Amino acid sequence: MGDAAVEVVDLRRTFKVPERETGLRASVRSLFHREYRQVHAVDGITFEIGAGEVVGFLGPNGAGKTTTLKMLAGLLHPTGGQVRVLGETPHRRRPDYLSRISLVMGNRNQLQWDTPAADSFELNRAVYRIPPAEFRSTRDELVDLLDLGALITKPVRNLSLGERMKVELAGALLHRPQMLFLDEPTLGLDITMQKRIREFIGEHNRRHGSSVLLTSHYMADVEALCRRVIVIDHGRILFDGDLAALGGRLAAYKELGVTLADGAADLSGYGEVRSRDGDRVTLRVPKETTPQVTARLLAEHTVLDLTVEDPPVEDIIELLLAAGHKAP
Amino acid sequence: MSMPALLDLYRVQARMAVQQQLQYRMRNAMVLVGFLTEPVVYLAVWTAVAKENGGSVGGWTSGTLAAYFIVWTLVRSMNVVFTPYGFEWRIRTGQMSASLLRPRHPVHYDLAYFAGSKVVWFVMWLPIAAALALLFRPTLRPEAVEVLVFVVAIVGAYLIRSLLQWLIGMVTFWTTRVGALFEIYMVAELMLSGRLVPMSLMPSWVRDVAGWLPFKWTFGFPIEVLVGDLGTRALLLGLATQAAWIAATAGLLALAWRGAVRRYSAVGN
């Protein structure tokens, strides 16, 4: 391995999943004969992440993102291929390796529920054997960066989802991991909190140079943090390269969300009508004509609300799939 | 991990346990009442049997039976450990992954946490023990050395029971449901530990079987250290047997843990 923080070669992970039809007869039959299906969650992926690099890991639900992250963090044993992180084989789970990484899952709480986060931080100090002076300085820096203030003295169960994610991140970074795996860190958070979290991740990376692999369904997370993205679907890499190049593929479209006073108006003349929900219409229009189409809409209709957005990540993947794109 | 670092981890985790237990005073009080119901029923039954037999049964008087079951309540609150049901919950909710991401063996967190919670439980037990003593008039005159051995035996009982239940809990890595196995453990413990009745009141073949099993070293032995008249040899032999069981279960746990983690990382959650 060279200077790469992560090196993955032909990585595979297959799960044996039991299958059974519904009904009593199938239940009885399954007592004697169980049927299984092989699911190739990760199907031969190869990539590298450089030291200090922030990479977005994108894909729809069930694409294999979390399975990959778990293999990189040492929680899952690969079925095939090679994986090295920080020069170590993750699934050997050596304490020294676990002390140099962190995996934050947006939907999992690793802090003690009933006590203030400050106590969980103190436990992490003991777990990771952080020297007291270094612990205090890192904690204070994280409290400052994330604007935690009084939050760390409130029991975790009394924090809002966004507040909890902030203290969760702080707890995960106290030991200054060289490799940070973030699985949907902004999941379920409001726009303001999403922005706050992504600003923090960016700032932390600039200050400490840790490598980051980030999965998210929110393009805004990826756009704000990652110059490079890896798109995965059905366990295979569809795209690995600069975000700008991926954006170029999508540059053809923008999505306009329009709410009109006259909800029944026909908007098919402005672009492709993607959906209609009451008075709310979603249009897909060519990116280069978006300003003109928007101006026409505003001039010709009474517009109550108008949003202009990039298509969601699922649509990006849809487009990649449609194009039959494969990573080199 | 060096010993000072491990002790630091235990100290911090135990302190956290105390804080958490203090937040659930009412729940703890209810659990203690539950713990009381069981021995008080046993005590009522065996006191009645003793009276029917002219004041004693198998050498146990009302006073010594009262002492046995009052000390029982202390031993019971001191040998509460992380149960296999907790393992099921961890696996089902994915919390096991969080434990596995830490660079220390998860058993340390549980041992430290439940040890720390004993501080609160002990304080809550004191007034209950006083009330029971007033009510049932126990005959209890331990010597200083017996009190000392009792303290060590309580720690031994806690460790054996913790490690045993951790071993059963680890079965969840393979089956995801371990309730039935745990029920068998609990029945065996009830019959073979001195939990239901002092072991000396059991048939001799039951006592012989119990001698080869770990259960009585988690209940009957610590109680009888304080209540009975075991003598120096029996006390030392008992502590040595506890130490042997701790070594055996810890060794088995270390061995099984490797397989369990391999299994977990093969199946995932």
Side-chain angles (χ1 to χ4, degrees):
Chain A
M1 183 176 175
D3 292 334
V6 175
E7 188 178 55
V8 169
V9 181
D10 195 28
L11 187 64
R12 292 167 192 277
R13 176 67 235 193
T14 304
F15 291 107
K16 191 175 156 191
V17 181
E19 268 192 338
R20 203 190 72 195
E21 289 172 18
T22 55
L24 181 62
R25 187 179 292 177
S27 298
V28 173
R29 199 168 52 230
S30 74
L31 285 174
F32 304 99
H33 178 67
R34 292 200 175 185
E35 289 180 0
Y36 293 91
R37 182 168 58 94
Q38 298 284 325
V39 175
H40 304 289
V42 174
D43 196 9
I45 62 173
T46 298
F47 65 88
E48 275 190 16
I49 296 175
E53 195 177 7
V54 183
V55 177
F57 201 36
L58 306 178
N61 290 331
K65 305 187 297 290
T66 303
T67 302
T68 305
L69 246 52
K70 284 183 172 178
M71 284 193 279
L72 296 179
L75 284 176
L76 276 177
H77 206 290
T79 314
Q82 286 106 46
V83 55
R84 303 275 289 171
V85 181
L86 304 174
E88 301 257 9
T89 303
H91 55 265
R92 285 192 187 145
R93 300 177 27 76
R94 289 191 341 109
D96 181 52
Y97 172 68
L98 296 174
S99 296
R100 293 193 291 148
I101 64 156
S102 220
L103 167 63
V104 179
M105 295 183 163
N107 58 348
R108 302 262 168 88
N109 185 11
Q110 296 186 37
L111 300 172
Q112 299 285 329
W113 190 247
D114 297 312
T115 53
D119 292 326
S120 287
F121 291 177
E122 176 65 12
L123 181 62
N124 278 9
R125 179 200 60 72
V127 169
Y128 290 98
R129 286 186 284 169
I130 308 168
E134 186 186 318
F135 167 73
R136 280 192 297 275
S137 113
T138 311
R139 182 196 58 196
D140 294 347
E141 183 196 7
L142 291 166
V143 166
D144 180 45
L145 269 176
L146 280 161
D147 195 19
L148 296 178
L151 292 184
I152 63 167
T153 53
K154 282 163 75 176
V156 171
R157 65 164 188 265
N158 293 339
L159 300 177
S160 71
L161 185 64
E163 291 171 340
R164 233 166 27 232
M165 180 43 72
K166 287 206 297 184
V167 292
E168 190 81 41
L169 265 173
L173 294 171
L174 279 168
H175 60 288
R176 294 198 177 159
Q178 291 166 258
M179 184 72 225
L180 182 58
F181 302 108
L182 298 172
D183 192 14
E184 305 280 2
T186 56
L187 188 71
L189 306 186
D190 63 41
I191 302 284
T192 314
M193 194 59 83
Q194 284 178 25
K195 188 164 177 283
R196 194 66 192 256
I197 296 282
R198 72 175 75 103
E199 280 171 357
F200 164 73
I201 295 167
E203 179 60 24
H204 190 270
N205 169 256
R206 278 188 290 280
R207 284 194 189 190
H208 300 290
S210 48
S211 310
V212 181
L213 183 58
L214 163 85
T215 80
S216 180
H217 277 93
Y218 301 122
M219 272 306 282
D221 286 351
V222 179
E223 282 170 338
L225 292 167
C226 314
R227 282 180 58 192
R228 176 183 158 207
V229 292
I230 297 172
V231 181
I232 181 173
D233 191 27
H234 293 111
R236 293 185 175 179
I237 289 178
L238 301 181
F239 178 87
D240 181 354
D242 282 352
L243 181 59
L246 181 63
R249 288 172 194 281
L250 296 170
Y253 301 101
K254 283 277 183 185
E255 284 202 350
L256 304 190
V258 192
T259 308
L260 299 178
D262 176 13
D266 178 13
L267 298 183
S268 58
Y270 296 91
E272 181 192 344
V273 177
R274 300 282 290 171
S275 66
R276 182 181 283 275
D277 182 12
D279 293 344
R280 182 82 175 170
V281 180
T282 304
L283 291 172
R284 176 176 279 183
V285 297
K287 190 174 181 181
E288 61 275 13
T289 64
T290 303
Q292 293 90 324
V293 171
T294 311
R296 267 181 61 211
L297 268 168
L298 290 167
E300 295 168 7
H301 296 273
T302 308
V303 178
L304 301 178
D305 186 45
L306 176 71
T307 56
V308 182
E309 291 176 340
D310 282 326
V313 69
E314 283 78 2
D315 285 10
I316 299 172
I317 290 153
E318 207 176 298
L319 289 166
L320 284 171
L321 280 170
H325 178 82
K326 295 283 185 231
Chain B
M1 193 178 194
S2 68
M3 189 51 77
L6 194 62
L7 288 176
D8 184 36
L9 173 61
Y10 271 70
R11 183 185 62 79
V12 175
Q13 177 76 323
R15 198 177 57 197
M16 191 174 268
V18 172
Q19 287 172 255
Q20 290 193 355
Q21 294 300 319
L22 288 173
Q23 293 203 27
Y24 292 107
R25 294 179 295 273
M26 186 51 72
R27 187 202 66 180
N28 289 341
M30 299 295 282
V31 173
L32 269 178
V33 168
F35 282 176
L36 281 177
T37 312
E38 188 183 341
V40 166
V41 169
Y42 301 152
L43 182 55
V45 170
W46 286 105
T47 305
V49 173
K51 277 183 185 161
E52 292 249 327
N53 283 280
S56 75
V57 54
W60 291 85
T61 65
S62 301
T64 52
L65 279 169
Y68 187 93
F69 284 108
I70 290 171
V71 176
W72 184 107
T73 59
L74 176 59
V75 171
R76 178 71 190 100
S77 27
M78 292 297 108
N79 71 13
V80 173
V81 299
F82 184 68
T83 70
Y85 293 125
F87 258 90
E88 279 190 7
W89 174 81
R90 277 184 188 164
I91 300 256
R92 209 172 47 244
T93 59
Q95 286 297 318
M96 188 57 78
S97 293
S99 301
L100 289 173
L101 282 169
R102 288 173 165 174
R104 311 286 161 240
H105 196 302
V107 74
H108 292 304
Y109 307 111
D110 292 334
L111 284 174
Y113 182 89
F114 281 85
S117 67
K118 306 292 181 242
V119 177
V120 178
W121 287 71
F122 180 71
V123 172
M124 291 179 70
W125 171 82
L126 285 171
I128 291 167
L132 285 174
L134 282 172
L135 202 62
F136 292 102
R137 304 283 172 188
T139 307
L140 186 62
R141 291 180 208 85
E143 293 172 18
V145 68
E146 287 173 334
V147 175
L148 189 68
V149 173
F150 174 73
V151 172
V152 179
I154 283 276
V155 175
Y158 170 68
L159 288 174
I160 296 170
R161 207 162 183 267
S162 288
L163 297 172
L164 272 176
Q165 295 204 22
W166 237 79
L167 275 169
I168 295 172
M170 276 163 56
V171 174
T172 47
F173 283 91
W174 283 271
T175 65
T176 68
R177 290 282 187 275
V178 76
L181 186 60
F182 187 43
E183 291 298 322
I184 293 170
Y185 169 91
M186 292 304 281
V187 170
E189 180 182 88
L190 191 67
M191 304 304 295
L192 301 167
S193 70
R195 177 173 177 163
L196 183 67
V197 58
M199 287 307 291
S200 62
L201 294 180
M202 284 289 199
S204 65
W205 69 268
V206 175
R207 291 202 300 272
D208 290 344
V209 170
W212 292 97
L213 295 170
F215 306 110
K216 85 172 212 182
W217 307 105
T218 67
F219 254 103
F221 172 66
I223 299 173
E224 288 184 29
V225 166
L226 212 57
V227 176
D229 190 16
L230 292 182
T232 308
R233 189 173 178 277
L235 291 177
L236 291 177
L237 200 63
L239 291 181
T241 311
Q242 279 193 322
W245 273 111
I246 292 165
T249 46
L252 201 57
L253 191 147
L255 204 65
W257 179 245
R258 284 186 213 158
V261 171
R262 260 202 305 275
R263 168 74 184 175
Y264 186 78
S265 65
V267 177
N269 192 334

